[in-house]
């Protein structure tokens, strides 16, 4: 029984006990030196009981008890009335909760041991509150509208802007239209009943933080949904790329063409025989070099190197390469093979697990099947993820000082070009190489995970910076608290709640160049997409985090009036005691 007793004011345990002992010592001293020895033991016992009662009043004792919990159902957007009626018939005394901003989930779930969630599910930042109870998630019907969307949030002027998505509808012949910021239609496509994939494209002709539109219309031309497509269009960045191959490959052949077509300066060195090399120069002047060194690599933004070439570098070349990455910010992409995946000894070390799957659909490319090696990245705290398929990491990199080193387990990506999917190929390699390239500035880099982001929802961001104690403020000048990563001291995390829609920004204090631009949607924007993503997140979370609870623990405070009564009785006796034992 004693192990079920706790104290609500446990943090004040030692100060309260110390004060009680002091009162007990004073009681003994005053009783002993009062000159009256008669009744001394009884007085000490009575006083000790009074002091103990005061100590317990201050500590507020309580008992921990368990009892059978209740079963509940949580109604979220898009729930089925038929499912709710079935649960009410099957479960007696069912507790019905309505998920809304005003619902205190912690308080509502406190008495439940099991709950069924109906509809599209709860927000991702509320999922953790269900970890201690049994959960069954019964998703509602798929929402009508765009349920999957993929497009670059930042692009360069002159790029081909491509929007991929999946449209779900119970009706036939709806239409999706891509409009520019002025409302002019740029591209459109018909979507049929069920789930239809679509792709819309245009060439970007102006820079700035712009808002394109994706409009859904029915067969009569009436607008069903009109949603914003925020896009930050920046001037084209020209990279200086060095490619080193131990032997020519098809992957390098198509990759160098992709880089050259996008205006990058490319130098390719391919080994012909021992000590002899072939040089190619695209969009740049001719140079030659014998071996890698930090000064030689200083002008390059990105090194693409196959594993054999990396493995066979001389010690001096490896040291020069390491310094160029760590100190100058050079990015390195390794064209990996099975030997690299089995034993990666490069800096920083990338680790892999075996995987029997040899073809995948990327999360960002759900319509495209890609070949891969029988390996996947092993998860680690310092791994920066680029491409995934479900929970498998397929492309990623690690930081090393200012620079980065990364690779991918994807193979023969040039097959996309041979199959006429040039846009997918271009976007795939842009997503892989852009994060690796030498940063334009060395001070800060931002990352935002969740999207779409609506008003009053939490924005979780990461800041990589070389500053010792950065300060971040929003566009109104309000400071935002940061938490430093224990393992990566240059990595900071923060959270803010934007309360207005449109383009917003975060800025490192004292530096107007280190800015994160992000877009906040109105509460009604992209509802089908948001609900579908919620639904998928709930499915995955409750599939991985299963909990079964039959009883709930409750803390029941002990009624303090018992201790007040004991204190009054004992203190009353001590007041009467001198009058009862007056000397004759």
């Amino acid at each position: 029984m004693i192990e079920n007793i706790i104290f609500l004011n446990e943090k004040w345990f030692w100060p309260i006990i110390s004060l009680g002992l002091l009162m007990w010592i004073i009681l003994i001293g005053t009783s002993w030196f009062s000159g009256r020895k008669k009744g001394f033991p009884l007085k000490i016992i009575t006083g000790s009981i009074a002091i103990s009662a005061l100590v317990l009043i201050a500590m507020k004792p309580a008992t921990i008890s368990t009892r059978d919990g209740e079963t509940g159902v949580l109604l979220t957007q898009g729930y089925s009335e038929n499912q709710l009626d079935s649960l009410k018939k099957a479960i007696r005394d069912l507790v019905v909760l309505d998920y809304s901003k005003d619902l205190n989930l912690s308080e509502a779930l406190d008495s439940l041991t099991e709950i069924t969630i109906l509809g599209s599910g709860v927000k991702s930042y509320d999922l953790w509150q269900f970890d201690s109870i049994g959960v069954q998630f019964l998703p509602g019907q798929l929402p009508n509208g765009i349920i999957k969307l993929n497009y670059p949030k930042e692009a360069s002027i002159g790029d081909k802007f491509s929007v991929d998505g999946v449209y779900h509808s119970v009706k036939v012949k709806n239409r999706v239209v891509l409009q520019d910021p002025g409302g002019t239609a740029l591209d459109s496509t018909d979507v049929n009943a069920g789930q239809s994939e679509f792709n819309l494209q245009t060439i970007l002709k102006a820079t700035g933080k712009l808002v394109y539109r994706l409009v859904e219309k029915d067969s009569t031309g009436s607008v069903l949904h009109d949603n914003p497509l925020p896009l930050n269009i920046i001037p084209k960045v020209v990279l200086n790329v060095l490619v080193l191959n131990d032997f020519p490959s098809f992957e390098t052949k198509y990759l160098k063409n992709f880089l050259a077509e996008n205006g990058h300066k490319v130098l390719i060195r391919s080994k012909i025989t021992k000590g002899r090399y072939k040089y190619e120069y695209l969009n740049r002047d001719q140079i030659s070099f014998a071996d890698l060194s930090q000064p030689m690599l200083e002008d390059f933004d990105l090194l693409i190197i196959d594993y054999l070439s990396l493995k066979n570098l001389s010690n001096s070349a490896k040291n020069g390469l390491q310094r160029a990455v760590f100190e100058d910010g050079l990015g390195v992409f390794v064209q990996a093979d099975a030997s690299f995946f089995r034993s990666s000894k490069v800096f920083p070390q990338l680790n892999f697990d075996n995987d029997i799957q040899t073809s995948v659909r990327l999360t960002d490319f759900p319509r495209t099947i890609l070949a891969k090696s029988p390996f996947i990245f092993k998860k680690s705290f310092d791994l920066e993820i680029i491409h995934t398929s479900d929970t498998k990491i397929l492309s990623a990199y690690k930081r090393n000082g200012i620079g980065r080193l990364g690779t991918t387990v994807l193979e023969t990506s040039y097959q996309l070009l041979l199959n006429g999917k040039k846009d997918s190929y271009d976007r795939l390699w842009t997503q892989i190489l852009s994060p690796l390239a030498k940063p334009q500035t060395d001070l800060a880099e931002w990352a935002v995970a969740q999207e779409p982001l609506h008003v009053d929802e939490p924005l979780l961001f990461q800041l990589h910076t070389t500053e010792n104690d950065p300060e971040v403020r929003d566009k109104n000048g309000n400071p935002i608290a940061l938490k430093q990563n224990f393992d990566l001291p240059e990595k900071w995390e923060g959270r803010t709640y934007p309360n207005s829609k449109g383009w917003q920004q975060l800025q490192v204090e004292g530096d107007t160049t280190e800015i994160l631009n992000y877009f906040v949607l109105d509460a009604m924007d992209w509802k089908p997409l948001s609900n579908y993503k919620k639904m998928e997140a709930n499915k995955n979370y409750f599939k991985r985090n299963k909990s079964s609870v039959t009883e709930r623990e409750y803390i029941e405070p002990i009624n303090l009036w018992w201790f007040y009564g004991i204190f009054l009785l004992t203190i009353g006796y001590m007041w009467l005691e001198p009058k009862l034992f007056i000397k004759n």
Side-chain angles (χ1 to χ4, degrees):
M1 178 64 184
I2 192 71
E3 64 269 14
N4 291 332
I5 295 179
I6 63 171
F7 297 100
L8 301 181
N9 285 340
E10 186 177 3
K11 63 181 179 180
W12 298 104
F13 180 82
W14 288 114
I16 293 172
I17 292 298
S18 300
L19 185 59
L21 288 174
L22 179 62
M23 294 171 64
W24 189 68
I25 292 171
I26 293 173
L27 170 67
I28 294 176
T30 55
S31 300
W32 181 259
F33 294 107
S34 65
R36 294 180 60 257
K37 301 298 185 292
K38 189 175 182 179
F40 175 77
L42 187 59
K43 182 185 293 185
I44 295 303
I45 293 173
T46 308
S48 298
I49 294 174
I51 293 171
S52 298
L54 282 178
V55 169
L56 290 171
I57 290 172
M59 291 293 295
K60 293 185 177 179
T63 60
I64 300 177
S65 59
T66 60
R67 64 173 181 262
D68 292 339
E70 299 174 301
T71 300
V73 59
L74 183 66
L75 309 179
T76 65
Q77 189 169 7
Y79 73 91
S80 168
E81 287 286 355
N82 292 333
Q83 288 179 327
L84 177 59
D85 292 338
S86 298
L87 287 173
K88 286 180 177 179
K89 292 176 182 178
I91 302 174
R92 187 177 180 182
D93 299 326
L94 181 70
V95 178
V96 180
L97 304 174
D98 190 4
Y99 182 66
S100 65
K101 291 182 180 179
D102 299 328
L103 177 65
N104 186 329
L105 267 179
S106 297
E107 184 177 309
L109 299 176
D110 188 54
S111 62
L112 302 180
T113 55
E114 292 184 39
I115 192 168
T116 301
I117 301 176
L118 302 181
S120 60
V122 300
K123 296 283 190 179
S124 58
Y125 51 78
D126 279 333
L127 289 170
W128 65 272
Q129 300 197 57
F130 295 84
D131 288 348
S132 61
I133 64 175
V135 178
Q136 182 182 18
F137 178 55
L138 298 179
Q141 293 183 346
L142 287 179
N144 289 323
I146 296 173
I147 58 175
K148 293 183 181 180
L149 185 70
N150 180 43
Y151 76 98
K153 309 306 179 291
E154 186 174 270
S156 299
I157 188 170
D159 286 351
K160 180 182 286 186
F161 179 50
S162 183
V163 181
D164 289 303
V166 175
Y167 190 92
H168 175 262
S169 176
V170 296
K171 298 181 179 180
V172 295
K173 286 296 180 182
N174 285 349
R175 192 168 186 79
V176 181
V177 183
L178 175 65
Q179 295 181 349
D180 68 11
T184 302
L186 303 172
D187 196 5
S188 64
T189 186
D190 291 330
V191 287
N192 299 316
Q195 292 189 29
S196 297
E197 298 175 348
F198 65 86
N199 173 261
L200 302 174
Q201 299 177 357
T202 189
I203 302 297
L204 301 176
K205 299 179 180 179
T207 60
K209 297 190 291 292
L210 306 179
V211 181
Y212 287 73
R213 312 292 301 186
L214 206 56
V215 181
E216 306 165 34
K217 299 181 178 181
D218 61 18
S219 57
T220 65
S222 300
V223 175
L224 302 175
H225 297 99
D226 184 357
N227 294 304
L229 279 177
L231 179 63
N232 186 21
I233 307 175
I234 60 176
K236 185 174 282 293
V237 177
V238 176
L239 300 178
N240 203 353
V241 184
L242 173 63
V243 181
L244 299 182
N245 273 183
D246 194 69
F247 58 88
S249 67
F250 283 106
E251 196 72 90
T252 299
K253 172 185 175 181
Y254 291 100
L255 184 56
K256 72 181 181 182
N257 292 338
F258 157 74
L259 292 169
E261 288 171 3
N262 283 274
H264 301 300
K265 302 176 182 179
V266 187
L267 167 58
I268 306 104
R269 190 185 77 173
S270 302
K271 186 177 180 180
I272 302 175
T273 60
K274 186 175 181 179
R276 296 186 60 192
Y277 301 95
K278 174 187 175 182
Y279 291 86
E280 296 180 71
Y281 307 92
L282 305 175
N283 301 330
R284 60 161 299 132
D285 297 331
Q286 296 185 9
I287 63 168
S288 61
F289 58 92
D291 209 350
L292 301 186
S293 65
Q294 186 178 10
M296 177 263 167
L297 293 169
E298 187 175 0
D299 292 333
F300 288 96
D301 301 301
L302 180 65
L303 169 64
I304 300 174
I305 183 170
D306 61 23
Y307 181 52
L308 279 178
S309 298
L310 182 61
K311 181 181 177 181
N312 294 329
L313 289 176
S314 65
N315 289 333
S316 62
K318 288 179 181 178
N319 292 333
L321 176 58
Q322 289 184 15
R323 288 194 297 271
V325 173
F326 190 88
E327 299 173 7
D328 302 330
L330 175 69
V332 178
F333 175 80
V334 180
Q335 293 176 305
D337 57 16
S339 299
F340 178 83
F341 295 133
R342 291 193 182 98
S343 178
S344 171
K345 300 299 183 183
V346 297
F347 60 96
Q349 188 166 344
L350 298 169
N351 299 307
F352 303 87
D353 289 325
N354 292 322
D355 182 64
I356 61 173
Q357 195 173 8
T358 56
S359 63
V360 291
R361 293 179 185 267
L362 299 188
T363 303
D364 288 346
F365 298 82
R367 298 187 301 161
T368 304
I369 298 177
L370 295 166
K372 65 175 283 292
S373 299
F375 300 91
I376 56 172
F377 280 84
K378 182 179 292 185
K379 295 180 180 179
S380 64
F381 69 91
D382 56 346
L383 189 67
E384 306 279 349
I385 300 171
I386 300 175
H387 289 135
T388 61
S389 178
D390 294 328
T391 59
K392 297 178 180 181
I393 303 174
L394 306 177
S395 306
Y397 65 92
K398 284 188 178 180
R399 297 172 183 269
N400 188 44
I402 302 175
R404 304 161 181 81
L405 181 141
T407 188
T408 182
V409 299
L410 299 175
E411 291 184 326
T412 61
S413 64
Y414 59 86
Q415 291 291 341
L416 292 173
L417 293 172
L418 301 182
N419 294 332
K421 296 183 177 181
K422 185 177 185 305
D423 292 333
S424 297
Y425 179 88
D426 290 355
R427 196 185 318 175
L428 176 75
W429 281 103
T430 298
Q431 292 176 351
I432 292 176
L433 299 181
S434 293
L436 297 179
K438 180 184 294 184
Q440 300 301 304
T441 60
D442 297 336
L443 292 180
E445 181 182 347
W446 303 87
V448 177
Q450 75 275 28
E451 58 172 346
L453 177 68
H454 293 88
V455 172
D456 294 328
E457 291 183 346
L459 169 72
L460 306 176
F461 64 88
Q462 294 179 354
L463 171 66
H464 291 267
T465 179
T466 55
E467 293 189 28
N468 293 327
D469 192 16
E471 295 183 12
V472 172
R473 297 182 180 273
D474 62 19
K475 73 173 187 178
N476 297 319
N478 301 315
I480 298 172
L482 299 177
K483 180 177 69 174
Q484 190 174 24
N485 187 287
F486 179 80
D487 297 301
L488 299 172
E490 73 278 5
K491 182 178 179 180
W492 301 76
E493 297 177 350
R495 180 194 304 250
T496 184
Y497 291 82
N499 55 16
S500 58
K501 63 181 181 179
W503 283 105
Q504 309 291 328
Q505 68 178 29
L506 299 178
Q507 178 179 324
V508 177
E509 178 74 7
D511 192 338
T512 57
T513 63
E514 305 306 329
I515 295 176
L516 168 66
N517 294 301
Y518 64 97
F519 193 85
V520 180
L521 301 168
D522 184 76
M524 299 307 296
D525 289 335
W526 291 113
K527 293 301 289 184
L529 177 64
S530 298
N531 288 335
Y532 180 79
K533 286 196 170 188
K534 250 193 313 184
M535 198 178 294
E536 292 300 302
N538 278 243
K539 285 181 185 177
N540 293 331
Y541 188 86
F542 294 123
K543 185 189 302 181
R544 297 193 306 266
N545 298 270
K546 294 183 179 179
S547 177
S548 180
V549 181
T550 57
E551 293 181 327
R552 300 288 288 182
E553 287 189 344
Y554 294 89
I555 296 176
E556 298 182 357
I558 297 175
N559 196 332
L560 296 181
W561 283 110
W562 291 103
F563 304 113
Y564 283 119
I566 293 172
F567 175 75
L568 290 175
L569 288 173
T570 53
I571 206 70
Y573 168 78
M574 294 178 68
W575 177 74
L576 286 172
E577 189 269 341
K579 299 175 176 58
L580 296 175
F581 297 98
I582 297 175
K583 291 182 179 180
N584 296 330

